[in-house]
Amino acid sequence: MIRVVATTPFDGQKPGTSGLRKKVSVFQQPHYVENFVQSIFDSLEGFEGETLVIGGDGRFYNREAIQIVVRMAAAAGFGRVMVGQGGILSTPAASCVIRKHEAFGGIILSASHNPGGEHGDFGIKYNVGNGGPAPEHVTDAIFERSKAIREYRIFDAPDVDLDTLGITRVGDMVVDIVDPVEDYAELMGTLFDFDAIRDLFASGFAMRFDAMSAVTGPYATAILEETLGAEAGTVVHGVPLPDFGGHHPDPNLVHAKSLYDLLMSDHAPDLGAASDGDGDRNMIIGRGRFVTPSDSLAIIAANAHLTPGYKAGIAGIARSMPTSGSADRVAEKLGVTCYETPTGWKFFGNLLDAGLATVCGEESFGTGSNHVREKDGLWAVLMWLNILAIRRQGVDEIVGEHWAAYGRNYYTRHDYEEVDSAAADGLMAELRNRLDTLPGTVIQGLTVERADDFAYHDPVDGSVTTRQGVRVFFTDQSRIVYRLSGTGTAGATLRVYIERFEPDPARHDLETQSALADLISVARVLPDIEGRIGRKEPSVIT
């Protein structure tokens, strides 16, 4: 019943920041999915008879790929697979299920916040037994195997019914179709004061949650509306669609502009929130106040003790290097360490497992904690609801009080998407060549204090990760960071992060792009962005 199929390697099956991501048409090539999945299994040891969790965000080709993974898991010798009903399982929920059921690992079929549909993107990511993304030594092994693969093994069996809860079998392997929401919702109920949040909604508090026709819809509907009593219709675009309704499922000020416009209008509810394609990102907006992800992380860390799951306080904070330093001052006041890591949630795993950090965040709209080993969009929304329920203040008031206590980090990210890869690589190479000569340089009135190429020394396992982004620090407590993103599927994405600390409360209500206008100009001139990649303006500003 196990068929051995001869194959040849495909170029470029190297997992990026969050797995392997390509266009759907690439994954639809004969043997392409099978080669990569076999490369995953060939890189693992000790899974005979163990449990594998499988699910995805419902995007185009999700169901077909799940059928392949199930049959290959049976051929590989797994004893059980747990599959989200309908092929649905958000990334944080997959981590939750892996951890609760002590699974060996999981395969998540998603390209996260990237567009879906027949001509969109697809992705496959392997998560290890702690529920988090595979560390680099595992993804490196998978890539090396993908370059040498000559055959894969797959069980000959009919397709599994993904829509009916219960147990079936493929050969000797148990296939358990599970409710994708149940375990996750149960976990949220242990972390947050659901009674207080129910009282908040009962008081007339109103919110709008935009699931962006992606995976978080069923979770938000079940928890916010059915459990917590939010008004019916609070969740919009709540049905996951293969093409995300033709929208780009990335919760930022560009792709969730309609939500932003509503919260800035005279008809704004008290809270607006959104999540992305696979449910691991979040955007928080109060009436008249957008909360940057960096500020959201800092405010969550400062107020986490108000919730049942974190009432004893937090052990530490972890943030990605490009994320603003606002969380650092919270950590200092709390007397805990703030760890600065490379971009990629996998770098938080060791810190969480070792108990060194409790709350983690990235500027790319990702926030989470030690409850799972992924960032978690709905968790962040529930955390804000719990804080609002206890403090009984509006979002704008909470943000203003936080800035008054800690100072404000004006912060923006400018993305140059789908640029020529060689040109982007050349820009970064030239920046690295100038690191020694930049200190002391005056650029449009700003003096460079120091510059480096960020490297991370993991305090748990001692591993070193280098070349994670060029940082340029100025004497006025501002900085610019340049790095190439690993989450796109076409060309290269140059991300430029621009930040300035402002301690004066009288200057805390400036418009962000205006407050950073001089730095923005320097950020473009310093590496000659227009000359090197041919772009006068960024594709996206957040």
Side-chain angles (χ1 to χ4, degrees):
M1 301 293 288
I2 296 177
R3 182 160 47 96
V4 179
V5 181
T7 189
T8 55
F10 289 90
D11 290 335
Q13 287 196 328
K14 180 176 177 59
T17 304
S18 295
L20 179 67
R21 293 180 183 175
K22 305 285 184 182
K23 293 296 182 183
V24 168
S25 58
V26 174
F27 279 95
Q28 287 177 317
Q29 297 175 89
H31 310 308
Y32 192 90
V33 170
E34 292 89 341
N35 273 25
F36 188 68
V37 172
Q38 189 66 60
S39 297
I40 293 174
F41 294 159
D42 287 350
S43 304
L44 307 175
E45 296 179 349
F47 57 77
E48 184 78 21
E50 296 286 340
T51 298
L52 180 73
V53 173
I54 305 172
D57 59 14
R59 67 177 58 230
F60 189 88
Y61 202 57
N62 187 63
R63 286 174 171 264
E64 294 87 344
I66 285 176
Q67 298 290 354
I68 293 171
V69 175
V70 168
R71 296 200 301 272
M72 292 189 68
F78 280 94
R80 179 191 188 201
V81 292
M82 299 180 69
V83 186
Q85 186 180 25
I88 294 294
L89 202 60
S90 77
T91 292
S95 183
C96 168
V97 173
I98 291 169
R99 293 171 63 79
K100 177 179 178 179
H101 297 275
E102 299 182 343
F104 184 86
I107 290 182
I108 301 172
L109 303 163
S110 172
S112 188
H113 56 289
N114 290 357
E118 184 177 0
H119 304 292
D121 299 336
F122 194 76
I124 301 179
K125 180 174 75 166
Y126 179 69
N127 280 30
V128 295
N130 74 346
E136 286 196 316
H137 71 87
V138 175
T139 56
D140 288 345
I142 293 169
F143 179 48
E144 290 304 313
R145 180 57 186 157
S146 76
K147 295 188 290 186
I149 191 169
R150 290 293 179 266
E151 65 181 33
Y152 63 83
R153 294 173 294 282
I154 188 165
F155 208 97
D156 269 332
D159 281 354
V160 172
D161 178 1
L162 298 177
D163 297 311
T164 303
L165 294 174
I167 291 176
T168 57
R169 289 182 179 271
V170 173
D172 293 331
M173 185 184 73
V174 171
V175 179
D176 191 357
I177 306 299
V178 301
D179 183 329
V181 177
E182 184 176 9
D183 287 337
Y184 177 85
E186 178 185 60
L187 176 59
M188 294 301 105
T190 68
L191 300 175
F192 301 112
D193 188 342
F194 276 11
D195 287 337
I197 299 174
R198 285 190 193 95
D199 290 343
L200 179 68
F201 281 121
S203 72
F205 181 92
M207 75 172 291
R208 171 73 61 87
F209 182 93
D210 191 342
M212 306 192 84
S213 300
V215 77
T216 318
Y219 297 85
T221 300
I223 296 174
L224 297 178
E225 295 187 10
E226 297 171 10
T227 300
L228 296 176
E231 183 179 352
T234 291
V235 178
V236 298
H237 305 125
V239 178
L241 300 174
D243 66 347
F244 305 120
H247 302 295
H248 191 147
D250 193 354
N252 60 39
L253 296 178
V254 174
H255 301 303
K257 187 176 185 299
S258 61
L259 181 67
Y260 174 83
D261 289 343
L262 172 66
L263 268 294
M264 299 300 133
S265 74
D266 294 336
H267 309 290
D270 299 287
L271 178 67
S275 191
D276 71 327
D278 68 333
D280 61 359
R281 299 186 179 210
N282 75 93
M283 180 169 73
I284 301 295
I285 314 176
R287 183 183 291 134
R289 173 65 68 188
F290 166 65
V291 186
T292 70
S294 296
D295 279 343
S296 182
L297 169 64
I299 291 168
I300 285 173
N303 291 274
H305 65 281
L306 300 177
T307 67
Y310 309 90
K311 62 183 178 181
I314 60 176
I317 306 171
R319 65 166 177 86
S320 65
M321 177 272 289
T323 302
S324 93
S326 55
D328 300 47
R329 279 180 292 282
V330 173
E332 183 179 5
K333 184 172 182 178
L334 294 177
V336 300
T337 301
C338 187
Y339 298 90
E340 186 178 34
T341 74
T343 295
W345 208 260
K346 59 189 175 185
F347 292 103
F348 295 143
N350 280 350
L351 300 172
L352 295 170
D353 287 346
L356 297 178
T358 303
V359 176
C360 307
E362 297 181 328
E363 51 71 38
S364 53
F365 295 84
T367 326
S369 82
N370 59 354
H371 69 290
V372 291
R373 293 299 181 269
E374 291 277 6
K375 50 185 174 279
D376 189 346
L378 191 51
W379 172 90
V381 176
L382 290 167
M383 176 66 84
W384 267 94
L385 283 170
N386 203 149
I387 293 168
L388 292 165
I390 299 301
R391 291 185 56 167
R392 293 289 171 150
Q393 295 172 291
V395 172
D396 185 54
E397 188 176 0
I398 289 174
V399 171
E401 288 188 4
H402 184 87
W403 288 340
Y406 295 96
R408 179 177 182 181
N409 284 69
Y410 281 101
Y411 183 88
T412 188
R413 188 181 91 189
H414 290 202
D415 292 352
Y416 298 82
E417 298 178 336
E418 297 188 1
V419 302
D420 180 76
S421 295
D425 289 339
L427 182 149
M428 292 300 298
E430 177 61 19
L431 279 172
R432 290 185 169 103
N433 289 336
R434 296 170 60 190
L435 289 176
D436 292 339
T437 60
L438 279 175
T441 303
V442 179
I443 308 170
Q444 296 185 356
L446 295 176
T447 303
V448 177
E449 181 179 66
R450 58 190 174 93
D452 64 17
D453 191 355
F454 179 66
Y456 177 59
H457 298 257
D458 191 302
V460 179
D461 64 16
S463 62
V464 179
T465 305
T466 60
R467 298 172 65 86
Q468 292 301 299
V470 171
R471 304 186 296 180
V472 182
F473 299 88
F474 297 87
T475 55
D476 67 342
Q477 296 191 68
S478 62
R479 70 167 184 165
I480 302 170
V481 176
Y482 302 87
R483 61 177 290 271
L484 299 183
S485 171
T487 61
T489 60
T493 296
L494 172 66
R495 301 202 195 281
V496 184
Y497 311 84
I498 301 155
E499 175 182 10
R500 170 177 285 136
F501 176 64
E502 177 55 71
D504 183 2
R507 293 181 53 81
H508 283 174
D509 279 320
L510 304 177
E511 194 278 324
T512 298
Q513 300 304 310
S514 298
L516 296 172
D518 57 340
L519 268 176
I520 291 170
S521 178
V522 169
R524 297 179 184 183
V525 169
L526 194 156
D528 186 17
I529 288 178
E530 182 178 354
R532 286 194 166 271
I533 66 174
R535 299 284 183 88
K536 290 185 177 181
E537 299 290 336
S539 311
V540 178
I541 295 176
T542 52

